[in-house]
């Protein structure tokens, strides 16, 4: 027993749990904001208004066309440098996930809404619902169900993306692992446990998603 | 006049689909529209509640000009029921919710009031026991009857039907036509695009034969079916009858 509790696999865990809390917090807060952004920009990409469509497209293309590592550095070092403000690491990380996931979620939203049969909105409009009522009561609820699997997928992607924020020394999971082996030199043990903790979140999530997907298929 | 259509033109890009259509429909009248595929029947019907934008000409519903930007199109649509070939029921709602969504969201009725009014409609289409099921568990004929009840829930003055039985198995057609016949007998003003010549003969007050975006011939069912004047009508009827 002593052998076990003395091992690095065991002793690294308190650090990693602390990191996991940050990782989950950044991912969840970032995705909640990202979902709002994604819904707004995704719907904007469906309007006939060229200006609104253009703005939304620029956002989506800029985010999807640049690496998230550059995005976080831009938010944490670039913008504060230009605008002379201070931003803390966690806030910067949440913003980075929100902006990044927002662009991908915009595409998820757009695709899901677009996939709903045109007859649905025609039926809504022909009983007298206006455009926004038709979206809210008829199209969105159906589209949302189709968004669940890709949104879950985005959760897994964003969760892993937070590990890149170790470059700005935010105390997320990977960074905490690095901190541990920086002083103990137990890199193998620390990194093994880091990966195990990521997998503890990602594998159940993807199993659950597969179940949801099967249910939506029928 | 319940419906007045004047010199209606509709183009999709360069393709002119409706080439000047005039129509007047009186209160309680049942007008059936027949014609070959692609002749513009659906487009014509959809112009009557502005599901299609009108290219030129006018459409009046109870005197309101739909092409006038000042007219509240949502309000007009609530007076014009529309039944589609593929039902277009809302799959995420139960039958009862499908029927009550309009009254709840547009008329502002409470859930209780909307449901109370929906029950007799379900009776009327013979589906009282299906109130709480989802559309996916219904047959095509049952779906179409729910779609009719959903339209009726808004107390429309006019009902438009676009081939309401074309997607149904033959043995399910009768129930839907029976509901439509009841409606006609109760005095509903109806425009029905249909391939059911029997229905047009029995229930229609007037039949329009459309081809290539124009009304080629228009007459009582007796005259049009038994003694068509236009050679195109003769040719079409010889194929379908
Ligand atoms: N949204 C659209 N965009 C472009 N063309 C269209 C559109 N809707 C209809 N059309 C064209 O308009 C013409 C008339 O179509 P419409 O659906 O009104 O015919 P229909 O008489 O109802 O035929 P059917 O009996 O097959 O239903 C067709 O050539 C069709 O291709
Ligand atoms: Mg048609």
């Amino acid at each position: 027993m002593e052998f076990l509790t003395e091992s690095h696999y065991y002793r690294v865990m308190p650090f990693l749990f602390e990191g996991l809390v940050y990782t989950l917090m950044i991912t969840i807060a970032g995705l909640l904001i990202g979902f709002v952004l994604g819904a707004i920009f995704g719907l904007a990409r469906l309007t006939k208004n060229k200006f609104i469509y253009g703005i939304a497209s620029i956002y989506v293309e800029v985010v999807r066309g640049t690496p998230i590592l550059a995005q976080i550095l831009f938010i944490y070092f670039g913008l504060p440098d230009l605008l002379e403000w201070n931003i803390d690491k966690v806030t910067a990380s949440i913003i980075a996930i929100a902006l990044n996931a927002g662009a991908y979620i915009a595409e998820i939203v757009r695709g899901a809404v677009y996939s709903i049969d045109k007859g649905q909105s025609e039926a809504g409009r022909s009983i007298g619902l206006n455009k926004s009522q038709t979206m809210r009561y008829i199209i969105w609820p159906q589209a949302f169900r189709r968004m669940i699997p890709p949104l879950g997928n985005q959760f897994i992607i964003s969760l892993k993306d937070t590990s890149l924020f170790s470059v700005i020394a935010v105390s997320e999971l990977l960074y905490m692992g690095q901190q541990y082996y920086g002083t103990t030199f137990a890199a193998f043990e620390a990194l093994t446990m880091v990966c195990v903790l990521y997998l503890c979140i990602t594998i159940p999530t993807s199993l659950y998603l597969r179940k949801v997907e099967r249910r939506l298929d029928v | 006049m319940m419906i007045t259509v004047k010199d209606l033109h509709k183009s999709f890009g360069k393709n002119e689909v409706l080439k000047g259509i005039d129509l007047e429909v009186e209160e309680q009248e049942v007008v059936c529209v027949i014609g070959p595929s692609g002749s513009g029947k659906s487009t014509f019907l959809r112009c009557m509640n502005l599901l299609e934008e009108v290219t030129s000409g006018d459409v009046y519903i109870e005197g309101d000009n739909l092409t006038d930007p000042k007219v509240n199109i949502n309000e007009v649509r609530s007076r014009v029921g529309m039944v589609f070939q593929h039902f277009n029921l809302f799959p995420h709602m139960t039958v009862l919710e499908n029927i009550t969504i309009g009254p709840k969201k547009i008329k502002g009725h409470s859930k209780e009031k909307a449901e109370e009014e929906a029950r007799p409609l379900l009776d009327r289409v013979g589906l009282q026991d299906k109130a709480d099921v989802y559309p996916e568990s219904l047959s095509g004929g049952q779906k179409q009857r729910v779609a009719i009840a959903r339209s009726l829930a808004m107390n429309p003055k006019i009902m438009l039907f676009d081939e309401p039985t074309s997607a149904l198995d033959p043995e399910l057609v009768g129930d839907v036509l029976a509901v439509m016949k009841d409606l006609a007998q109760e005095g509903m003003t109806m425009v029905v695009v249909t391939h059911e010549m029997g229905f047009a003969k029995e229930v229609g007050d007037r039949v329009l034969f459309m081809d290539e975006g124009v009304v080629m011939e228009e007459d009582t069912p007796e005259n049009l079916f038994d003694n068509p004047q236009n050679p195109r009508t003769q040719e079409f009827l010889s194929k379908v009858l």
Side-chain angles (χ1 to χ4, degrees):
Chain A
M1 208 54 207
E2 205 164 293
F3 153 77
L4 203 68
T5 55
E6 286 302 303
S7 83
H8 287 298
Y9 292 110
Y10 185 85
R11 282 172 31 199
V12 72
M13 290 315 277
F15 293 85
L16 297 190
F17 281 132
E18 193 189 327
L20 186 61
V21 169
Y22 275 96
T23 291
L24 286 173
M25 189 178 79
I26 291 166
T27 307
I28 291 167
L31 282 179
L32 287 176
I33 303 168
F35 183 70
V36 174
L37 290 176
I40 293 169
F41 286 100
L43 293 178
R45 292 254 275 174
L46 288 161
T47 63
K48 288 194 193 112
N49 183 313
K50 289 240 167 68
F51 180 73
I52 295 175
Y53 175 86
I55 300 267
S57 299
I58 289 171
Y59 164 63
V60 169
E61 295 307 333
V62 165
V63 169
R64 294 205 309 170
T66 53
I68 187 167
L69 194 50
Q71 291 163 13
I72 183 67
L73 293 175
F74 200 83
I75 291 165
Y76 188 63
F77 295 117
L79 283 183
D81 188 35
L82 178 75
L83 303 169
E84 297 185 348
W85 68 30
N86 282 315
I87 187 166
D88 74 81
K89 292 167 183 166
V90 175
T91 310
S93 303
I94 291 172
I95 293 173
I97 289 292
L99 284 178
N100 182 271
Y104 291 94
I105 294 173
E107 286 299 276
I108 293 171
V109 168
R110 187 175 74 104
V113 169
Y114 191 75
S115 75
I116 303 301
D117 180 52
K118 233 178 114 223
Q120 290 291 305
S121 74
E122 290 181 351
R125 297 306 301 276
S126 69
I127 56 178
L129 295 171
N130 64 31
K131 253 190 188 166
S132 60
Q133 288 172 321
T134 303
M135 177 52 76
R136 180 163 165 206
Y137 301 116
I138 311 298
I139 307 299
W140 185 264
Q142 296 184 57
F144 186 74
R145 299 174 100 178
R146 296 191 188 178
M147 290 176 211
I148 293 171
L151 283 176
N153 207 30
Q154 183 62 44
F155 170 78
I156 292 174
I157 292 170
S158 291
L159 181 93
K160 292 186 295 177
D161 280 348
T162 58
S163 68
L164 293 166
F165 302 164
S166 55
V167 294
I168 63 165
V170 65
S171 330
E172 49 74 40
L173 181 52
L174 180 63
Y175 180 79
M176 293 305 277
Q178 288 174 313
Q179 289 297 96
Y180 183 82
Y181 69 72
T183 52
T184 61
F185 304 102
F188 180 81
E189 293 88 336
L191 290 171
T192 301
M193 294 320 283
V194 164
C195 290
V196 165
L197 284 183
Y198 279 118
L199 290 172
C200 282
I201 309 285
T202 53
I203 288 178
T205 306
S206 73
L207 288 178
Y208 175 72
L209 284 177
R210 231 176 288 164
K211 214 170 90 185
V212 171
E213 230 164 297
R214 266 202 304 272
R215 215 176 47 218
L216 290 177
D217 264 357
V218 289
Chain B
M1 255 340 124
M2 295 300 277
I3 307 175
T4 306
V5 177
K6 284 187 184 156
D7 197 28
L8 173 65
H9 289 256
K10 170 68 187 175
S11 305
F12 292 104
K14 288 203 179 104
N15 179 17
E16 188 173 42
V17 173
L18 300 180
K19 301 168 182 165
I21 295 188
D22 295 278
L23 174 71
E24 295 206 314
V25 182
E26 283 173 40
E27 190 157 6
Q28 309 209 339
E29 202 180 1
V30 177
V31 174
C32 293
V33 181
I34 61 172
S37 182
S39 57
K41 307 180 297 293
S42 298
T43 306
F44 178 37
L45 202 69
R46 291 156 59 83
C47 284
M48 288 188 222
N49 69 353
L50 234 59
L51 280 184
E52 297 292 352
E53 226 169 284
V54 170
T55 306
S56 75
D58 294 299
V59 179
Y60 298 86
I61 299 293
E62 295 185 287
D64 292 321
N65 188 349
L66 298 194
T67 55
D68 179 348
K70 285 200 290 284
V71 164
N72 177 351
I73 184 62
N74 298 315
E75 191 278 322
V76 175
R77 281 188 181 132
S78 70
R79 284 185 268 143
V80 182
M82 176 110 178
V83 175
F84 302 87
Q85 182 175 356
H86 295 289
F87 332 125
N88 298 350
L89 291 181
F90 307 134
H92 59 303
M93 297 181 187
T94 63
V95 165
L96 197 59
E97 286 165 347
N98 264 275
I99 298 174
T100 55
I101 177 89
K104 281 191 293 197
K105 300 305 172 192
I106 299 162
K107 295 182 177 171
H109 287 181
S110 68
K111 185 165 179 275
E112 292 70 32
K113 182 167 159 77
E115 289 183 357
E116 200 179 303
E117 290 183 4
R119 300 279 174 190
L121 288 174
L122 277 173
D123 281 352
R124 191 157 159 191
V125 298
L127 295 170
Q128 36 298 61
D129 52 333
K130 298 292 186 189
D132 297 315
V133 308
Y134 285 87
E136 61 179 4
S137 68
L138 299 176
S139 74
Q142 291 171 330
K143 282 182 188 160
Q144 195 59 296
R145 285 181 281 150
V146 172
I148 293 173
R150 177 177 68 182
S151 289
L152 292 176
M154 292 303 292
N155 293 316
K157 302 285 189 53
I158 298 166
M159 287 284 283
L160 308 175
F161 293 85
D162 190 359
E163 299 194 29
T165 58
S166 299
L168 302 179
D169 293 336
E171 72 272 19
L172 301 176
V173 168
D175 290 339
V176 172
L177 290 181
V179 168
M180 291 169 62
K181 199 172 143 190
D182 282 349
L183 261 182
Q185 275 162 358
E186 286 161 28
M188 179 65 78
T189 307
M190 297 167 44
V191 180
V192 186
V193 174
T194 186
H195 289 304
E196 295 290 333
M197 301 303 158
F199 177 85
K201 249 184 207 173
E202 190 187 342
V203 183
D205 295 305
R206 202 154 31 115
V207 179
L208 264 56
F209 171 69
M210 269 183 78
D211 196 8
E212 294 178 353
V214 294
V215 175
M216 289 272 178
E217 187 165 358
E218 168 179 357
D219 214 326
T220 61
E222 296 75 39
N223 289 345
L224 193 118
F225 287 116
D226 300 335
N227 192 15
Q229 301 300 310
N230 189 304
R232 299 299 293 269
T233 320
Q234 290 163 359
E235 189 193 331
F236 175 74
L237 289 176
S238 71
K239 278 189 208 146
V240 297
L241 286 182

